[in-house]
């Protein structure tokens, strides 16, 4: 089978790494890929939001299975454009059509969907230019902290949380009047603050059945002890001690099942991943967001724990036979530590030479922002590479991750040395 993965991050490298292990693979392509994916297959340069260019790559390379990593092409309807072309009716596609992708593309849509299907989530009200004064008054009447969310895609920066009501009101004006995220912040949700511990849960679904993938904990802040600015994610752990069987049964019954049933009832064409961003409040799961893709860096710990063939799983996702596949999960722990450019998530340099020792025996290196140019591996983004360790417990896995981290060098490299600190405090 010929496979094309769309995207260029650590997530896509991890997907490529696992697909490469399948005996069913003939040729692997990654578009646009990065400095690491080129060693697993062929990097293809194209605009990932352009259906015509993707179709051309599919035709040229005889692709059988097309897998979308990031959300943007999905929200923009790239899958719909490919599926509506009869020449591509046999192509297997992992990635929802635009109606399903609205679960990530519009927080208001997601909120309405959750309310309709009784899925636990924080209460929210939506404001825009028309009722801005009402929105400001609403903030005054609420108790802090105040959670404001841009309705549309905002590159992970669309959530603003503050305890200060005046700052919350300024944020609302910035978002709506200042068009902070353009059309994506024309509508703003003011959401109930949920006080608890976060968890990422993933499934693949073919729109009727689903398979639950390993859960993970993500570390979003740049600084130790979860301080400082938000990032795309500085590390991840799977499994997660507080996501025990009892809690995961609740997640399945109250969140996963009603979501997939809702997708079926709405008649969405959904073949792909669902990422449930959850907060555990007391013993109860609440959804803070849906994503219609895998998480990054969560994929770098989820994928190494999947023992089954990934092509089998993705094919079944695409052709609606998920009820016929078995998913085997490795009980070991996976950890990943993200190595980032100095200065990230603010201003940072690109183009530093990466010195990667050949002998990272016990760790898996997933490239994110890297590029291979003129025979050299260079930094090419804020998040540069994720180093994954697998072990019998979190301690063993982390020691492999950090040993790997110590062997990768470039000018300005930065990483968090406390990944898993909170889980350790809980006994993991
Ligand atoms: P998101 O971009 O939706 O992942 O949100 C970014 C971060 O904001 C989340 O990872 C949470 O830490 C936090 N967050 C979002 N919604 C809420 C909420 N309702 N209550 C508390 N924290 C929240
Ligand atoms: N790690 C969080 C995300 O991928 O959105």
């Amino acid at each position: 089978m010929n496979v094309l993965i769309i995207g260029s991050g650590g997530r896509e490298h991890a997907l490529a790494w696992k697909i490469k292990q399948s005996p069913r693979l003939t040729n692997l392509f990654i578009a646009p890929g990065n400095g690491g994916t080129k060693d697993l297959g062929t990097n293809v340069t194209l605009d990932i939001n352009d259906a015509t260019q993707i179709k051309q790559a599919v035709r040229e390379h005889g692709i059988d299975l097309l897998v979308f990593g990031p959300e943007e092409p999905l929200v923009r309807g790239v899958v719909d454009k490919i599926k509506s072309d009869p020449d591509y009716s046999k192509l297997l596609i992992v990635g929802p059509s635009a109606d399903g992708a609205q679960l990530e593309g519009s927080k208001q849509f997601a909120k309405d969907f959750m309310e309709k299907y009784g899925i636990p989530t924080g209460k929210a009200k939506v404001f825009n230019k028309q009722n801005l004064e009402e929105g400001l008054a609403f903030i005054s009447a609420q108790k802090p902290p105040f959670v404001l969310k841009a309705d549309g895609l905002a590159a992970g920066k669309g959530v603003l949380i503050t305890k200060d009501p005046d700052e919350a009101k300024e944020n609302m004006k910035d978002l709506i009047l200042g068009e902070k995220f353009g059309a994506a912040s024309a509508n703003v949700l003011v959401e109930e603050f949920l006080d608890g511990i976060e968890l990422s849960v993933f499934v693949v679904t073919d729109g009727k059945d689903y398979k639950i993938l390993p859960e993970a904990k993500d570390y979003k802040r740049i600084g130790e002890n979860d301080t400082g600015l938000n990032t795309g994610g500085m590390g991840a752990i799977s499994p997660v001690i507080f996501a025990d069987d009892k809690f995961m049964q609740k997640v399945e019954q109250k969140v996963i099942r009603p979501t997939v049933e809702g997708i079926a009832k709405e008649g969405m064409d959904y073949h792909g991943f669902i990422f449930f961003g959850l907060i555990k409040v007391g013993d109860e799961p609440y959804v803070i967001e849906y994503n219609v893709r895998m998480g990054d860096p969560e994929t770098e710990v989820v994928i190494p724990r999947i023992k089954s063939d990934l092509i089998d799983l993705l094919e079944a996702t695409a052709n609606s036979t998920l009820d016929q596949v078995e998913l085997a999960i490795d009980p070991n722990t996976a950890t990943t530590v993200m190595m980032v450019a100095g200065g990230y998530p603010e201003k940072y340099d690109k183009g530093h030479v990466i010195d990667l020792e050949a002998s990272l025996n016990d760790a898996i290196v997933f490239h994110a922002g890297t590029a291979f140019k003129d025979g050299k591996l260079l930094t090419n983004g804020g998040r540069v590479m994720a180093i994954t360790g697998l072990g019998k417990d979190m301690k063993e896995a982390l020691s492999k991750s950090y040993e790997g981290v110590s062997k990768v060098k470039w000018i300005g490299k930065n990483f968090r040395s406390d990944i898993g600190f909170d889980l350790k405090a809980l006994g993991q």
Side-chain angles (χ1 to χ4, degrees):
M1 193 172 272
N2 292 331
V3 181
L4 172 60
I5 300 171
I6 300 294
S8 63
R11 168 182 53 211
E12 287 75 21
H13 191 177
L15 291 168
W17 173 83
K18 181 72 180 162
I19 286 172
K20 180 75 181 171
Q21 293 166 23
S22 170
R24 297 187 60 201
L25 181 71
T26 313
N27 291 310
L28 178 60
F29 300 86
I30 309 95
N34 61 37
T37 58
K38 75 157 192 10
D39 295 332
L40 298 172
T42 306
N43 285 351
V44 177
T45 305
L46 53 72
D47 175 355
I48 64 166
N49 295 314
D50 185 335
T52 307
Q53 290 186 35
I54 295 176
K55 284 198 290 187
Q56 193 190 331
V58 165
R59 209 168 42 239
E60 192 177 322
H61 302 296
I63 300 301
D64 306 291
L65 174 64
L66 174 64
V67 183
F68 283 86
E71 67 283 3
E72 199 180 340
L74 304 170
V75 173
R76 289 187 183 209
V78 167
V79 168
D80 310 60
K81 285 182 194 149
I82 299 172
K83 284 193 173 173
S84 65
D85 184 334
D87 288 348
Y88 296 83
S89 59
K90 289 214 184 85
L91 178 65
L92 297 165
I93 303 181
V94 174
S97 57
D99 56 354
Q102 282 285 94
L103 288 172
E104 177 165 358
S106 165
K107 293 199 188 287
Q108 188 179 354
F109 177 90
K111 206 46 101 178
D112 293 344
F113 177 92
M114 286 186 265
E115 269 165 27
K116 184 167 174 186
Y117 293 102
I119 296 157
T121 185
K123 287 192 200 67
K125 271 182 101 97
V126 186
F127 300 98
N128 52 36
K129 255 186 196 154
Q130 276 69 48
N131 61 356
L132 180 64
E133 287 307 319
E134 203 185 305
L136 298 174
F138 182 77
I139 290 174
S140 298
Q142 299 302 303
K143 276 191 278 175
F146 307 95
V147 181
L148 268 60
K149 297 188 174 183
D151 175 49
L153 291 185
K157 298 194 175 99
V159 179
L160 302 171
I161 301 178
T162 172
K163 288 183 176 151
D164 178 355
D166 293 328
E167 192 182 331
K169 288 183 210 167
E170 281 312 308
N171 287 343
M172 179 176 271
K173 288 190 219 158
D174 271 359
L175 288 163
I176 296 174
L177 298 178
E179 300 181 352
K180 187 168 177 152
F181 299 107
S185 63
N187 288 296
V188 169
L189 281 76
V190 181
E191 187 171 295
E192 173 190 1
F193 181 82
L194 298 166
D195 194 6
I197 184 159
E198 279 182 57
L199 175 70
S200 305
V201 170
F202 305 94
V203 304
V204 279
T205 181
D206 55 17
K208 55 182 178 60
D209 293 294
Y210 58 84
K211 294 282 177 210
I212 304 176
L213 308 179
E215 79 284 355
K217 176 108 189 22
D218 174 24
Y219 293 81
K220 287 204 170 95
R221 304 297 192 104
I222 187 70
E224 316 270 307
N225 285 310
D226 288 342
T227 54
L229 293 174
N230 255 325
T231 70
M234 295 294 291
I237 311 272
S238 176
V240 177
I241 189 168
F242 61 83
D244 54 17
D245 287 350
K246 197 164 159 235
F247 181 70
M248 287 306 287
Q249 274 163 22
K250 261 189 200 168
V251 171
E252 180 168 11
Q253 183 205 333
K254 297 189 176 182
V255 175
I256 297 173
R257 203 173 294 148
T259 299
V260 175
E261 281 170 9
I263 284 172
K265 282 188 190 139
E266 296 293 315
M268 293 173 184
D269 178 28
Y270 204 117
H271 299 263
F273 296 99
I274 312 175
F275 164 172
F276 302 89
L278 303 181
I279 293 195
K280 183 183 183 200
V281 183
D283 280 329
E284 293 300 317
Y286 287 81
V287 177
I288 50 170
E289 63 168 352
Y290 285 120
N291 295 301
V292 297
R293 54 173 172 84
M294 285 298 290
D296 195 348
E298 290 97 324
T299 308
E300 291 93 303
V301 292
V302 170
I303 288 288
R305 293 192 58 221
I306 296 178
K307 292 206 276 193
S308 314
D309 186 289
L310 194 58
I311 290 188
D312 285 347
L313 186 70
L314 297 178
E315 176 185 45
T317 302
N319 71 8
S320 305
T321 52
L322 265 182
D323 56 335
Q324 290 164 36
V325 298
E326 290 297 323
L327 180 63
I329 303 299
D330 181 347
N332 282 311
T333 297
T335 61
T336 203
V337 176
M338 188 60 82
M339 301 181 68
V340 303
Y344 173 82
E346 296 184 279
K347 203 170 163 299
Y348 59 84
D349 297 334
K350 288 183 185 177
H352 289 297
V353 175
I354 302 170
D355 173 7
L356 185 62
E357 275 184 36
S359 60
L360 291 190
N361 294 335
D362 279 339
I364 315 166
V365 179
F366 293 124
H367 293 225
T370 74
F372 197 74
K373 270 189 206 143
D374 305 327
K376 285 187 199 137
L377 186 64
L378 304 176
T379 65
N380 192 41
R383 292 194 296 170
V384 176
M385 46 177 74
I387 313 291
T388 295
L390 260 176
K392 63 179 186 307
D393 54 24
M394 188 170 80
K395 192 168 166 225
E396 188 178 286
L398 279 172
S399 77
K400 291 181 184 174
S401 286
Y402 281 114
E403 198 199 328
V405 166
S406 73
K407 291 182 175 170
V408 183
K409 298 183 186 94
W410 72 83
I411 293 167
K413 100 175 191 193
N414 187 26
F415 60 90
R416 264 179 72 168
S417 57
D418 68 341
I419 298 303
F421 77 101
D422 52 343
L423 300 180
K424 197 168 160 204
L426 293 172
Q428 182 160 350

